[in-house]
Amino acid sequence: MKENQNQIDDSQRQPCEVWTRVMGYHRPVSSFNSGKKSEHHQRCFFNEERTR
């Protein structure tokens, strides 16, 4: 298999900012205090089955 020619160094990468909805509005996770960051990390994501 041919290697991807578009790979870049980790030093050239830009950090991805994660946002989440809190109390009806969106906020970046980076602005959370340590307790709220821990709570966000413990959240479970799920996919609900389609209704018939």
Side-chain angles (χ1 to χ4, degrees), residues 7-43:
Q7 291 182 350
I8 60 173
D9 229 27
D10 283 345
S11 63
Q12 295 174 320
R13 294 180 182 270
Q14 189 173 22
C16 176
E17 187 169 38
V18 177
W19 286 62
T20 187
R21 190 175 68 82
V22 178
M23 301 293 288
Y25 58 96
H26 292 87
R27 292 188 47 130
V29 174
S30 61
S31 70
F32 289 174
N33 63 31
S34 59
K36 189 60 127 175
K37 283 181 184 177
S38 175
E39 178 186 317
H40 179 264
H41 183 73
Q42 292 174 357
R43 289 183 187 171

